[in-house]
Every structure is written in C-alpha cells, then in structure tokens.
Amino acid sequence: MLKGQYRRRYISLSIPQRNARKMAAVLERSFIEISGFERETLPTFREITLNLGLNALPGSVIYPDSAGGFHYEGSGKLLSITSNRFIHWSTSGDTVQLVEQSLDTNLLNNAVKLKITHCPLLPGGVHVQETLNNVTILIVTNQTVHRLVLPHPTRMYRSELVTELQMQSIFTDVGKMSLQDPAHSAVIPSPVGQTVGPTASAAWLSHQGEAHYALASPAGGILVVTLPPHDTKASVTILELKTSSVMQRLAGWMPTAIRGEQSPGDLALSLAVRELEDDTFILALCQDHKLRMWSYRDQACLMEADMLEYMPACRGVTRSSGQGHRLRLTFSSTGLCLAIYLAVPSRGQFTVLQLVATDNNRYSLDHISSLFATQETLVDFALTSTDIWGLWLDDTNQTVVKYINFEHSTVGQWNQVFVQPAPEEEVHIGADQDPRETYLDMLFSPLRFTASALVKALQIYRRGTERITDLPWETLKKEVTVAVEKELQSSVTEFEFSQEEYRQLQVEFWSKFYACCLQYQEALATPLGLLLNPHTHMVCVLKKGFVSFLVPCFPVEHLYLSFDEYLFSEEETHVAEDPEVGRDVLQLVQCLRLVSDAVPGDMAYEMEKALEHLQSPERAAEMVLENLLANDNENVIEDIHNKLQDVRNPLAAMAVLIREMDLETDSEPGEGSLTIGQSLSWRISLSQLYGSSVAVAVVCQAVCQMAMTRALFCRDLLILQQLYLRLGDNVFPGGGPQLQQDLIPRSSQLLSSYYLLKHITQSLTTTVPLDIIDANLQHLSVLELSDSPAMASNRSVRSPQTVVELFYQSVARKAIITQIYSKQHSPSPGTALLHWPHMVSSVVTLLAQQLWPNNLGFQFPECLMGNCQYAQLQEYVRLIEPWCQVNVGSCRFMLGQCYLANGEGQKALQCFQEAAVEVEREEFLLRLTGAEEKAAAAPRLQYYNKVLRLLEDVGLPELVIHLATLAITEAVNDPRSQAALWTRIFKHHLDLGHNSQAYEALTQNPDSSSQLDCLRQLVVVLCERSQLQDLVQFSYVNLHDEVVSIIESRARAVDLMSHNYYELLYTFHINRHNYRKAGTVMFEYGMRLGREVRTQLGLQKQVNCCLASLNCLRLIRSDYAWIVQPTSGAVYERPAASPKRNYDGEFTTGPVSGQIDILELKDLQKEYDLARSRLTLAQHHPPSAAIAGSASAVEMMSLLVQSGLFDCALSLCQTFKLSLTSVFEGLAFKCIKLQYGGEENQNEAWNWLAANQLCTITTKESRLVKSRQMRRGAFWPLTWRSILLRMLSTIAVSSTSCCHTVCHCPTGWSTPTRG
C-alpha cells in the first residue's frame, strides 16, 4: 500500500521515470540517520525553577531519562503556520527540557528548562495536546502534576501569511506564568509512610478543558487526578479505578495492605488513553502480562486480555512478571490499533491488535500480527497505521533503529536504519601531518562532535570550576588549543628534546583530550526515544544531547551499507531493471564489501591524500591493490576472486552502478517557476519551506553522508576494477579494453567528484570583515552581478556554517523548492501535504546535482564569490581543475577573483586571460558579459571590458594596460571599441607617468573626438606636473593645430599668474621655428597681462613678453616680420573678467570684427617702449601699477610727468610723436614749487631728480631747465614759451611772491617785462 503511495508521489515530484520505481521501493526499505546537533557553544535554555515546598521521597525510585515529542495537526500542511513544526522534550531527574523547532522558520525563545525541586519526572511523564486556542503541556512527577497553558501559534500570528525569517516560539512568555498557582500545579496526596510514586502515567484534556492525569498506583490500579479548567477555581479531584469496577472519590490513597484487593500483578507498567465518541478509554498493560481497559465514563473495566495468548512459543513465562512491557495506540483505516511489546526473557515480541466492539458495551481484540524482536534492550517504539518503529541499545551500547510493516511483512524481517557511527576512536596521523592540526580538524569537523561535548571536555581538562559561557566556534577552538598546549608544556621537564619526541608528546596529550571528548559525545548520543510524525511521516531519534533525523537511503547506499545477513538475503535489487543484471549487481556489491573490509587504514589514508594532492585515482587504486596482494594473509583476494566467478556480466553491473551514482543532468539548475495563478500565500510558504537552520543542517549533512559513502564505494569499485584488469581473461574474457577505456575513467571521475562533494560539505565558512564585504559588493557592482541571486550575501543564524549550508540557505533552497513544485499538480494549495521521506530525498538529490561539478550550473562558485569565501573557492577550483571539463573558463575567472582579493594581480590577470577563451561557450561568462541582452559588441570584447572595469576598480593600472592591449586584437572590426580601449590605455599610461606611451596610445586612437579629448588631457596633466619638456618635444603628427588650439584655449581660460600656458605655447612654436606664431603668442600674453594683472610683477612680465615678441620678429625676414593683432575676443576688456567657455570647456570667442590690424616691427617697438614706461612708473611709484597697466601713451605721459619721470616722458613723446608741452609745463611747475618750497619739498625733489639723467649744473633750477632745452634742440622756442607761461601763471597766482629768477633768453628773444 505504501509502496504505491510513494511511487505516485514521487512521480508527481518530477523525479525521472527511471528512478521513480526504484526509489519508491528503497524508501520503504532503509533509512539513514542524520545528526542535527548544534554548532553553537551552548543551547540557550531559559531556566525556570518550580518549588512547591515538597521534600524528596525517602528511598524513592530513580527514574531513567526519557524523551518524547509532539507534532501539530497542521504540521503536514504547506499553508499552515505550524507546517513542519514540532515540540520535543527530555527528562532527567527533576528537570524537563522543552524545545520547539521548525524546519521552515527559526523560532526565537524556543527552549525552556523547567526544574521541579525534589520531584523526579516519570518516564514519559510529559504530554502535549493542542486545542483551537492553546497548546497545553501536562507534566507528571512522582509527587505532583502540572499544567502549562500556552498560546497556539495560530493565535500568536493571526494571519496565515507570515513573511518573517524568524518567529516567536510558544515558550516566549512561559517565564511570566505563575506555575505555583493551583490552576497550574497540584500535589498528589499520598498516605503516610508511602515512599514509592507512580510507575507510569497518561494524561489528556477533556472537551470541558479539564486536565486528567492517569497514574499507575504502586500497589496496582489506576489513580486519575483531575485539574479543573485553567480559567475556573474549582478544586482538584482524585479518582481511583479498581478491578472491582468501583470508582471511589478519595482524599488520599488507601494503603493496599488495608484493602487487600490488589495484587502486584495488577501493577500497570504502561498506560495509554484514547477518546472515542463521548467516552474516554484508559488502557493499561500490567505486570501480569494482561491488558486491561477501563471506561472513564462508565467507571468500569471493559476488557481484560492475557497477552501471552499471542505468544505461543513463550508459555513458560506465565508465572514470571514482566518489567519492560510497552503499549502504543494509533488509528488506522479500520479503527483503533494497539501494539503491545512483551519483554520476556531471551526475546521480545510485538503484538499488533485491533480493538473491536461487541455487544453489551464490551470489547475484544483481533490479532493482526506478531513480530519478534532481537535481544537488544528496547528503549522506545512507535506505532503508525502500517509500521512499527523500534529503538534499541545493543550489548555494546550502540544504538539500533529498525522498522517493519506489520501488515505485509511475510518473513518478519525488519528494515534497516543505518545509524550515525560514533567518531573514530583512533586518529590516523600521517608522517607529513601536524598532530595538533589533525586533532583539531577531527574535533571541529561539522559531523563528529557537538559543541556541548567539547565544552564539557574542556572544563574537565582545565580542572577548573569556572563555567564556560557561550563561546563562538573559533574562540572555542582557540581555548581548546591553549588548554592542551598548556598541559603539554607543564609536563615537560627537560629543556631540550628532539622533534620526534615533541611530536610524540603532542600525540599523547591531544589523544587524551580526544578520548575525553569521545566519552562526552557518547553520553550525549545516548538514545532516549523516538518521535514520529504521522502527518509528514518524519521520524526522529531523540538523544540526550541532540535530535537526529532519519532520511531515506538511496539504492547504492542501501546495498553498500547493508549488513551481511540483509545483503545475502536480497533476491533482487531495484538498481537494475533486468533481473540477471540485478543479481550480478548484488554479487558485485558483496565483492566491494570484501574489498572495503580488506583495505587497511593506512592505505585508505594514502588514497585520500592522493585525491587531495590531485594524483591519479587509478594509480592510487593500483597501489592499494598491490599492497593488498602483498599482505593478503587471510586470503581475502582469493575470496573476492571466487565471488567474481559468479558475476556473469561484470561490465553491465559496473555500468549500472556507475550510472546510478552519476548525478550529471542535462537540465539547468532551478528550472521551472511557479505559475502566476498561484496565490501569494502559496509562494511565500514555498519560499520558507525547509529554510530553518535545523533543516539546512539536516539536508546538507545528508548530502555529506551521501558523498562520504559514495566516495568509499567508488574507491572500492576502482580497486576491484584494477583487480579485474590484473586477473585478465580468467575472470572476464575480452572485457579489458572496455574496462580500461570507459569504466575505469568514469569511476575515477566519480571518485574525484564525490571527494569534492565530501570536501565542500565539511569546509566551514570564514568570518569576513565589513570592509572586505563592502569592497566585494563594489566589485560585483562593477561586474553587474550584484543583482544575481547567487551573489547575494547571506548572514545565517547558525554559526559557523559549512559552505554548502551557506549555498543551500542563500541560493539553492528556493530554486530546489521551486523546481519540485513547479510541475506538481496538486488539487489545491490548501491540501498540499509535506511528505518528509520524498521531500527530503528530492531536496538532497537536487542539491547534490547543483553541486555536481560536471553539471552546467555554476551557482555554487558564484555564491562563494558573493560571500567573500575566497580561500574555499580557491580550493574548490584547485580540486576540479585536473579532471573537470565543464565551466573551465568560469572557474578560471573565479580563481582570478580569488587572486585579485588576495592582492596577487599578475596571477589574476593570467586567469582572466585564460577564461576569455571560453566566453562564448559558458553560461556564466555570457551572463557576465551581458551578451544575453545586448549584442552591440562581441562577447569576448564585452568580457574584456568588464574585467578592465574590475581591474580599474581594484586599482591595477599596469594590468589594465596589459589586458586592454590584448583586447584591441578582438576589436579589429569595431572602431568604437578600439577607441575606448586606446583611451583607457592612454589614461592609465598618463596616470602612471608613462608620457611617451600615453602619447603613443593617443596617436593610435582611431576616433578623432576621443583623440582630441586625450590630447587635451595630456596637455593639462603635463602642464600641472611641469613636465613641459615632454609636452613640447612630442611630434604631434596631424595634431599640431589641435595642440595649439588646446593650449590657446587653456591659456585664455585660466589665471595668468598661476599657469604658464602662454609660455608653453611660445616654447612650442620656438621649438618648431615658427617665430611669428611665437611672437604673436607673447604679444597676446603681454596684452592680457597689462589688462588683467595690475601689479609690478605683471608689468615686468609684460615688458618681457613685448621684448620676446620683438626678438621673434627680428629673427625672420623683414617681409614676414609682422603679426596680426589679437581680436577683442582673445582678450578680455573687463579686468578680472571670468572667461566664457562652451560645452566642451573651450574658450568662446567674441564676434569677429571685419577689420584686421597688422602689427609690424616698429609697432611692436612702440608697444615695448610703452610697456617699459609703465614698468618704470611702477618701479618709481608702486601704487601707480594699478592704473598704468592698460594706460595709453597719452595717459602714460601725464602719469610720468606727475611722477617726475621727465626723461621717460620725453622718450615716450618722441616714440609716439606726442606734444612736449605737458612735459615742460610739468617740469617748470616742479622747478617753481621747488624754489618756493620748504625743506620738505626739497627732500622730496631729490627723489624725482634722481630718476632723471642730469648734466653738470651750477644752480639747481636754471641749469636743469637749460639742460632740458639744450637736449631738445629744435623745440627750444616752444619750450621757452611754455616755461615762461607756466612761470607767469604761477607768479600771478602768488600775491606775496615775486620772480627773482634771471633767465638767459636765447638770441632773438626779448626779455620779458612786467606788464
């Protein structure tokens, strides 16, 4: 029945048709245990102590530890808020630990440790029941009963649409409850002197809200304690059910010795309660092997049946009392079923019965099945409508889990569950390994030790009393290292010893700590109970320190891990369709088991190291085989040889096994999407499915377990194939070539692939600083990959993670769930059921396919890069490089990213170049280039552009230049791309100071606009660096005019005193012997200096400019010694005016005048004289520099006269042919002022007298004037007239002065007389 159900569901999940039938059968046959223990240092239990003032019972029974659990009704429904949600508990002494967990969402405040002082809890003394509004937990101790009423999750979150990544547990507010109140706790009254508490219990809630506790009385019978509804104040009632069918109300228990009605055989060892219709039935399996059923409503015993009647082979045990009997109930399609376990000497038996109603309100039992169990000690068992699950401890204290279908089991053979083995007792340390590192790897491997075991071992090893608080995983690792090394150092008494002696000491002390960890891990792994969810068919093993989950075992693992008695009894295998091939597969697997047992530990280690060091797996297997042949003392090879004789077609059998293990698929990972018609709540529920940290750990550890098992399988298969080759035609005629050319290479690649999966599932992530995360996000943004789902950075609640857990949680899970449900045709979302065996097997298979290196998907390396796991990514690429031919270019690109992050730029560049070859063939590289959306350029060229941007972002200009030069060869037919690449090369050469290479790149640029931009940048940068020699000496072929234009525009656009673009342009023209252009430049420079720089320094520069311009024109022939006067647009009429520029930043010229002024050499000489006079004035009177800069010749003459610079004024008048009247009038005025001035005026006069060239004089005033007259020759008449008029006007102004000056007039002039 289940087989068909499994098959239908598996087909609906789109599993390939070939595997559907096989998997459906195997899922019924075997499971494998996956430990879901935490890697946090200590679980965060909130501790609550409840003290009712009771004392411990003297000599009371010590109850064993126990565990159990509860599943919500809606745990199997996808759209329920309680989907995949459950509660599990464990008891130890007077303490109970309650934990609520979910496979979909992380629950907050989900762990509570309740201590009920002096009241040990009964085994199985915790019962959980849910109502519409509440979850009620009923607790039974040897002296008290308790009730915890908690809110139901559906009432905590009113909406079924919950989008939070974390949710509050129902235990969030349990600390606020007053557990001492009568509504929550009650004391079981006991007679004076009684020292024994109840032996078993059951509890239930009535429809009225009353809490009923059925307790097995120590003297026989059943006591029912009833608490009123929690919101009422009624009193506690106690009822006793007796075999006389009389129910009495008691205030306490009447001692059995007084009543004398009960016999020890009536002692109930196991109780169960079931509500049917309007009555409640209490079933008790008693010490006398009888099953009794009471009606709570009718207060009567309705049935009594002797269970030994169903054990015909054990009639002799009638008189012996049973101590380990167990009772379980369940509902099936035919009614209420009971499973009875009778623990009798030398064997145990399960009896499955069905309760049948008869007349007169009586009941009977119909026998369904009797199943015999092994001699192991039963810990717990669970009953479903079709199966019995059992949990045992064997003689070596090892956990044993089995299950059987009691309806269809014909031979009574139990199905296997392969439990998680304990960590290895001995650690193999190679000669090249450091003992400390080896032991640390073993201790902190994700699959071996819980953090609790490590912490307890550390506390013992320290011999300290301090309690270790919650430590991060890496900190705990450091503490362990320090503790062991400290112990080692304290034991050393000698100061000198050899390296080998120190190595032996390390092994000794680390093995001691390792043994301590083994003891605590074994204690924490002690099984306490089973938790079976009837809604999802999930089975968990509850252990003392953690919970483990059972997942279906795949066909290959089932064959390889099966015990010999199971493997030899196999009649067919579901791996092969053909029965003949199936039998050959079974024989071949038996041979593989022999090989596995024969391989010694040191050779297994050598094989592992060969894979790690990328050596040939075939050669390593051949070496192992040679070792086996050389040391075959037990004739194992002969046994294998004999078995191989029974394999008729070994090639077909090997091909079937290889095909079964090969996870290569043609489909892209994550194919399929949810249809638009599906509701938002459906899509949100799927997005959270199996997303909690617990589910993540279970799924990823299942992949790890599969990889470890299959790696061993492939190793043994490869060794066996080498043996086939050695045996030759004796065993296998004519099969050597096919084996050597096809099957051995495929087996070798499978071994490498599963070794890779094993490695990555055990590699822990590293903590990444925030600055590296930010830098990585910047790099991804440059590559335009920051929006990729695989690149999304993830921060998990579970720490530390393995890299596969990181990948599953952040990327793979949503894609896998989408792929599973995209093609599922469910009748409606509300009825979608979550079937754990099929769902987890599908998720594990699809996750392994996404990790499979030979598949096309590349999301796993993307995830590692997006989360800055560079060391792990580098190791991943190293391991697949020699043999994987898929995504070769993408792996090289990822390796380049790792090198880039580690600062190894040259190695990164080499990888990027190697990846370019595969750009057009690999999906990741095509997506990286953007070739899927835009086809503007070749994919390889787009790839180079992305990498160039990345290298620029990192800041590696040399590598940018190198790669851009290589990329130009890809852009032969793309001038636009060529221009961009040459521009990039130019820019980085220029930034590096490679001026010549930058100029060379500029000249190679095919785009004139880009070339002009680069040229402009070259000029500006070299000017700013003052590297003018390089700028001037470049040839500028076909770019001469552009260079001149750029320099001119820059010269006219910047401040004259802080930049020397005019001088650069002058040098540029001089260097090319273009003297007229050089003169023009310097003349314009001088003009602007006069207008804009009103300082003495500016006037000095103006004089130099005019002089340089004159020199330039004198160097050329007189016919060409002229320049064009710069237009008004080239200079600024307003002093300090802001230069106006266009969109490109160039100077905007003014309107062109229709008239052009030509300046010859003589004109330039005039300008020079004028500039010289301005400078002279500024040197004599500095404040005049502000107005002299742009003054004309006439204005300058006046300024010079006022300042007493008469020689300079006369020279200026002669140059510009100006009248001398103003000069001599000024001179006469100065003389008169000097004659009548005081001592102050005379002192001032020496300043302007010193500025003029004076001849020998006898009287200051007359000799000066005469000297000036003599030097001016023909101007004398006019000069004398001017002087006289000035003197007369001055005399007329002064009423108190008279002229005593005697003037010697020239011949022909009359002496002036007073009129």
Side-chain angles (χ1 to χ4, degrees), residues 611-893:
L611 294 172
E612 181 183 354
H613 297 151
L614 306 181
Q615 299 172 5
S616 169
E618 296 97 319
R619 177 59 187 152
E622 188 177 353
M623 291 177 60
V624 173
L625 178 61
E626 291 175 356
N627 180 272
L628 292 179
L629 292 172
N631 300 281
D632 187 17
N633 299 324
E634 299 180 0
N635 298 324
V636 176
I637 299 299
E638 184 179 350
D639 294 341
I640 297 174
H641 187 191
N642 294 333
K643 280 190 174 295
L644 290 178
Q645 302 287 345
D646 299 332
V647 183
R648 301 173 185 175
N649 190 348
L651 293 181
M654 291 180 188
V656 166
L657 291 172
I658 290 173
R659 185 178 68 248
E660 190 66 30
M661 290 188 295
D662 194 353
L663 298 177
E664 185 173 348
T665 61
D666 297 329
S667 61
E668 288 289 332
E671 278 189 351
S673 59
L674 299 179
T675 59
I676 300 176
Q678 288 167 328
S679 65
L680 177 62
S681 58
W682 170 270
R683 296 196 296 271
I684 290 177
S685 296
L686 288 183
S687 69
Q688 297 175 339
L689 189 60
Y690 301 130
S692 71
S693 59
V694 175
V696 169
V698 170
V699 170
C700 295
Q701 288 183 27
V703 174
C704 180
Q705 191 69 44
M706 178 180 71
M708 294 170 64
T709 305
R710 293 190 178 186
L712 293 175
F713 188 97
C714 293
R715 179 202 68 183
D716 298 337
L717 179 60
L718 202 56
I719 296 172
L720 190 64
Q721 288 169 339
Q722 293 292 340
L723 179 60
Y724 261 115
L725 285 180
R726 190 175 290 264
L727 295 175
D729 292 339
N730 295 331
V731 177
F732 169 50
Q738 181 181 355
L739 185 65
Q740 199 160 9
Q741 298 171 12
D742 179 31
L743 296 179
I744 288 181
R746 289 170 61 188
S747 300
S748 174
Q749 192 171 63
L750 280 178
L751 176 58
S752 298
S753 299
Y754 279 112
Y755 175 79
L756 174 69
L757 260 63
K758 173 187 170 184
H759 171 78
I760 61 178
T761 50
Q762 295 183 4
S763 296
L764 294 176
T765 58
T766 53
T767 305
V768 184
L770 289 177
D771 56 339
I772 295 181
I773 294 176
D774 294 338
N776 185 59
L777 288 175
Q778 176 65 25
H779 297 167
L780 295 179
S781 178
V782 168
L783 296 173
E784 298 181 7
L785 292 175
S786 55
D787 294 334
S788 172
M791 295 291 182
S793 182
N794 179 72
R795 292 293 170 265
S796 170
V797 177
R798 187 182 182 88
S799 177
Q801 291 180 295
T802 65
V803 291
V804 172
E805 289 173 349
L806 171 67
F807 170 65
Y808 172 77
Q809 190 169 31
S810 59
V811 180
R813 181 181 60 83
K814 291 182 180 179
I816 289 171
I817 299 301
T818 300
Q819 185 174 352
I820 290 175
Y821 278 92
S822 60
K823 298 177 182 179
Q824 178 177 353
H825 304 290
S826 179
S828 67
T831 61
L833 299 178
L834 301 172
H835 192 273
W836 168 255
H838 294 290
M839 285 296 298
V840 72
S841 60
S842 300
V843 172
V844 168
T845 301
L846 292 174
L847 177 58
Q849 288 177 354
Q850 291 205 16
L851 297 170
W852 196 247
N854 283 321
N855 284 334
L856 296 178
F858 198 65
Q859 290 183 323
F860 177 66
E862 286 185 67
C863 176
L864 294 184
M865 185 176 75
N867 288 276
C868 308
Q869 302 299 312
Y870 299 117
Q872 294 83 344
L873 178 56
Q874 196 167 344
E875 180 67 9
Y876 173 84
V877 175
R878 185 189 73 85
L879 289 176
I880 70 172
E881 185 177 12
W883 50 269
C884 182
Q885 302 302 318
V886 180
N887 292 317
V888 175
S890 301
C891 286
R892 300 309 296 173
F893 178 83

Side-chain angles (χ1 to χ4, degrees), residues 44-297:
T44 53
F45 282 97
R46 285 179 299 157
E47 298 185 3
I48 300 174
T49 301
L50 176 60
N51 192 342
L52 299 181
L54 300 175
N55 296 319
L57 293 177
S60 60
V61 178
I62 298 177
Y63 297 110
D65 295 347
S66 65
F70 162 79
H71 286 274
Y72 293 92
E73 283 291 329
S75 61
K77 298 178 181 177
L78 178 63
L79 296 185
S80 173
I81 200 171
T82 56
S83 64
N84 287 317
R85 192 162 170 173
F86 60 97
I87 299 171
H88 63 88
W89 50 265
S90 63
T91 65
S92 179
D94 59 358
T95 302
V96 56
Q97 294 183 163
L98 298 162
V99 180
E100 184 184 23
Q101 287 188 330
S102 170
L103 298 180
D104 298 344
T105 307
N106 292 314
L107 300 179
L108 303 176
N109 304 310
N110 66 323
V112 174
K113 182 182 291 186
L114 177 61
K115 179 180 177 64
I116 307 173
T117 307
H118 303 312
C119 298
L121 282 92
L122 270 60
V126 180
H127 310 271
V128 185
Q129 193 167 339
E130 66 175 315
T131 61
L132 191 61
N133 298 318
N134 301 107
V135 174
T136 303
I137 301 177
L138 307 176
I139 301 175
V140 182
T141 73
N142 66 342
Q143 299 186 73
T144 58
V145 293
H146 306 271
R147 172 174 57 190
L148 279 66
V149 182
L150 306 171
H152 197 277
T154 56
R155 292 298 177 260
M156 298 177 65
Y157 292 85
R158 292 290 181 179
S159 172
E160 292 289 336
L161 190 63
V162 179
T163 60
E164 289 88 347
L165 297 177
Q166 298 176 339
M167 296 173 60
Q168 292 292 338
S169 167
I170 63 171
F171 297 125
T172 298
D173 297 327
V174 71
K176 301 177 181 179
M177 301 175 62
S178 299
L179 299 181
Q180 294 89 349
D181 292 350
H184 298 294
S185 301
V187 177
I188 302 172
S190 60
V192 177
Q194 180 171 320
T195 61
V196 180
T199 57
S201 68
W204 75 99
L205 286 179
S206 68
H207 296 297
Q208 294 76 26
E210 296 174 325
H212 302 281
Y213 302 83
L215 309 175
S217 171
I222 298 173
L223 189 74
V224 180
V225 179
T226 301
L227 296 183
H230 69 278
D231 51 358
T232 63
K233 295 185 179 181
S235 60
V236 177
T237 60
I238 301 176
L239 308 172
E240 186 177 12
L241 297 175
K242 301 184 300 181
T243 54
S244 59
S245 301
V246 176
M247 184 164 58
Q248 300 174 347
R249 296 184 178 273
L250 303 173
W253 291 9
M254 182 180 295
T256 304
I258 299 176
R259 296 197 305 267
E261 348 181 317
Q262 303 289 347
S263 63
D266 294 335
L267 176 65
L269 301 177
S270 182
L271 295 176
V273 175
R274 183 65 63 182
E275 292 183 275
L276 293 176
E277 299 176 354
D278 57 346
D279 197 0
T280 299
F281 295 103
I282 303 175
L283 293 98
L285 182 58
C286 300
Q287 186 169 291
D288 58 1
H289 315 299
K290 292 183 180 180
L291 176 68
R292 295 178 174 86
M293 184 176 75
W294 280 271
S295 168
Y296 184 74
R297 181 193 62 186

